[in-house]
Amino acid sequence: MAFELPKLPYELNALEPHISQKTLEFHYGKHHQAYVTNLNNLVPGTAFEKSDLETIVKKADGGIFNNGAQVWNHTFYFMQFSKKGPKTPTGNLAKAINEEFGSFTAFKEAFTKAAATLFGSGWAWLVKNKSGKLEIIQESNAGNPLRSGHTPVLTCDVWEHAYYLDTQNRRPDYLVNFWEILDWDIIGKRF
Amino acid sequence: MTSLAQFTQPELPYKYSDLEPYIDAATMEIHYSKHHAGYVANLNNAAKGTAIEKMSIDELITKIDGNTPAGVRNNAGGTWNHTFFWESMAPKAGGEPGGNLGKALIAQWGSLDAFKAEFKKAALGQFGSGWAWLVIANGKLSIVSTPNQDNPLMPVTSVSGTPLLGIDVWEHAYYLKYQNKRADYVDNFWSVVNWNKVEARFKSSSK
C-alpha cells in the first residue's frame, strides 16, 4: 500500500503571519510530498515493502530511512499547529514541564536554544524518554527520536526550507513565531 | 589596543547582482553579508585566546580533526568554503573548461557532460546541508560531497583531496530563487562557473 500525504487540518494561509502561505505551499506541497513520493519509489522490492511508517523510521537506513523519517517528521510537525488551541501546556504535560524545566518559560528558552544551535539541517524535539521524563534533544537531517526509544511530544523543523522564505538567515525570528501557532491540546495528547 | 580580527572575509570579487539571473542579488547579499560574515565573526570568537588565533584559514582547515570543537570546525569550514565558492564563480563566465583541465575531466569521465552529470548527482545526493566538490588527490580527479561546512581538506572528513570546484547545497544558497528545486540551481550553476579560476587551481595542484 502506498504512503500518502496526509491532509492538513487547516488552510495553507491559516498560520499567517507566523508561517506564510508561500512557505506552507512549498514545505507541505513540495517537500513533504516529495518525501512521500520518494519513499513510495524506494520501498518496492525491499524488506520494507509491507512495513508501516513507524517500522521504517525505526529500522531502515539510507534513502528509505531519510525519506520515511522525513514523512513522519513533517506530519508530526504540521499536525501540532492551529491558531485555535491553548497557547500554553495544560494538565499532566504542564506539570511535567514544570517539574523538569522549572517553568514553561524556562522550557521555552531551553527548547529554543536547542533549535537555534542545531548546525545545518535537522529537528529539535521534546520527548518523553524511556523512564517517562521529558528531554530536549537535537537530531540532524531526518533524525527521529523513535529510533532511540523516545516518545516524541513536540518538534521544530530547522531545515532552512522551513523558514527561509519568511525570515531568511534569521532562524531566531522563525523560532519566536513557532510558539505562536502551537496547539497545546494536540501536543498534550501525545504526552 | 584594538585587537585585529584574525580571520577576515575577503571582498566579493563582483557585485551581488552580477550573477543574475542564475543566482539572484538577494540571495547573494544575504549569503555573503549574513551567512558568510556570520561564520567569520563566529570563528573569530571561537579562536580568541587559543592557538588557532595565529593560524591562517588555509592552515586551520588542514588541522580540523575529531578533537576540534564544533564551533571551530563549523565556522572555519563556513569561512573557507564560502570564500572558495565566491571565487569559483564570475559574471559572464560558464562555458566549457579548456586546456589541460578540460582534457583531464574528459579523460576521467569520458565527456564534460558525463562529468557534469556526476557532479550534479553528488550535489543532489548530499542529503541535508553540505557541499559537492571536484577534488584532486595524487593527480587523480574525483567528485565527493561533505555534510554541513566540512571540507575535503579537513582530516575529520571521510573524503580527501584538494578542492578545485565546490557548490554550496545548503538550502540558503538557492531557496529564495529555486525553493525545493535544487536540481535547477545546480544546472544553472554551470553558467557562472569561473573555469579560469578552476583551471588555475588545477595547475597549481599539479606543480
Side-chain angles (χ1 to χ4, degrees):
Chain A
M1 199 189 78
F3 296 100
E4 281 176 22
L5 183 70
K7 288 246 178 318
L8 289 184
Y10 45 81
E11 297 295 316
L12 290 175
N13 64 3
L15 307 180
E16 298 256 11
H18 307 294
I19 293 181
S20 69
Q21 172 166 348
K22 194 167 181 205
T23 289
L24 277 190
E25 280 168 7
F26 284 103
H27 200 182
Y28 169 74
K30 302 292 182 184
H31 291 279
H32 197 183
Q33 176 66 65
Y35 293 125
V36 171
T37 306
N38 292 342
L39 182 63
N40 283 325
N41 288 335
L42 287 169
V43 291
T46 73
F48 297 99
E49 191 159 15
K50 301 217 159 64
S51 302
D52 62 14
L53 191 58
E54 196 167 313
T55 306
I56 287 174
V57 168
K58 285 179 176 164
K59 308 270 187 226
D61 290 303
I64 295 182
F65 168 72
N66 284 340
N67 287 288
Q70 286 294 77
V71 172
W72 197 101
N73 295 352
H74 281 92
T75 299
F76 196 75
Y77 170 79
F78 288 127
M79 293 302 167
Q80 70 195 357
F81 298 133
S82 86
K83 282 181 79 186
K84 290 171 288 194
K87 288 273 174 64
T88 52
T90 56
N92 287 340
L93 178 57
K95 217 173 118 199
I97 284 177
N98 287 338
E99 268 167 28
E100 195 55 45
F101 304 98
S103 67
F104 180 56
T105 308
F107 158 70
K108 267 172 77 172
E109 235 168 75
F111 187 91
T112 299
K113 191 177 169 197
T117 58
L118 195 161
F119 191 71
S121 303
W123 301 78
W125 299 86
L126 173 67
V127 301
K128 186 163 72 171
N129 67 21
K130 283 183 219 159
S131 41
K133 284 177 86 85
L134 288 174
E135 229 180 281
I136 294 169
I137 57 175
Q138 298 173 318
E139 296 274 2
S140 290
N141 295 333
N144 182 300
L146 289 170
R147 278 169 96 82
S148 356
H150 300 305
T151 305
V153 176
L154 168 71
T155 193
C156 183
D157 187 350
V158 294
W159 283 60
E160 287 172 321
H161 66 230
Y163 59 88
Y164 214 78
L165 296 178
D166 293 340
T167 65
Q168 294 84 47
N169 59 301
R170 301 181 309 281
R171 190 190 290 183
D173 290 359
Y174 158 67
L175 298 174
V176 169
N177 286 321
F178 173 76
W179 297 105
E180 299 300 318
I181 47 178
L182 291 176
D183 184 327
W184 284 96
D185 270 345
I186 297 167
I187 299 160
K189 284 183 191 126
R190 294 166 171 176
F191 174 69
Chain B
M1 191 183 115
T2 327
S3 65
L4 289 171
Q6 169 66 27
F7 299 103
T8 55
Q9 184 183 27
E11 246 179 75
L12 197 64
Y14 38 79
K15 294 201 298 287
Y16 293 140
S17 59
D18 278 351
L19 305 181
E20 294 264 14
Y22 310 107
I23 299 184
D24 60 293
T27 293
M28 282 302 300
E29 177 165 5
I30 298 170
H31 203 175
Y32 176 82
S33 73
K34 305 292 182 187
H35 292 281
H36 192 195
Y39 291 124
V40 177
N42 292 339
L43 177 59
N44 281 315
N45 285 336
K48 207 169 279 174
T50 73
I52 292 165
E53 225 174 1
K54 303 251 185 313
M55 291 183 200
S56 71
I57 187 67
D58 286 344
E59 186 188 0
L60 174 56
I61 284 294
T62 64
K63 303 236 182 295
I64 290 172
D65 59 24
N67 299 318
T68 309
V72 173
R73 172 177 173 172
N74 294 337
N75 291 301
T79 297
W80 193 100
N81 293 347
H82 285 93
T83 299
F84 184 87
F85 183 56
W86 310 137
E87 292 173 351
S88 301
M89 302 184 288
K92 301 189 183 74
E96 309 262 274
N100 288 336
L101 174 62
K103 281 183 206 146
L105 290 170
I106 292 166
Q108 181 69 35
W109 282 282
S111 69
L112 291 174
D113 283 347
F115 155 71
K116 287 181 179 178
E118 202 60 29
F119 189 86
K120 181 177 180 180
K121 201 171 137 194
L124 299 185
Q126 177 58 49
F127 188 74
S129 302
W131 294 75
W133 308 91
L134 169 68
V135 299
I136 188 161
N138 305 317
K140 191 174 164 24
L141 294 170
S142 62
I143 293 166
V144 298
S145 63
T146 54
N148 293 332
Q149 294 297 352
D150 285 353
N151 171 307
L153 292 168
M154 295 178 178
V156 72
T157 57
S158 58
V159 298
S160 59
T162 303
L164 303 179
L165 175 67
I167 185 169
D168 188 348
V169 294
W170 282 59
E171 288 172 323
H172 67 230
Y174 59 86
Y175 211 79
L176 295 182
K177 185 172 174 70
Y178 297 96
Q179 296 85 42
N180 59 306
K181 298 179 288 297
R182 188 190 285 187
D184 291 356
Y185 159 68
V186 177
D187 287 342
N188 278 344
F189 175 68
W190 300 114
S191 298
V192 290
V193 168
N194 184 357
W195 286 113
N196 290 337
K197 183 71 190 179
V198 181
E199 169 102 44
R201 290 167 178 158
F202 178 65
K203 268 186 196 148
S204 64
S205 76
S206 43
K207 260 178 204 160

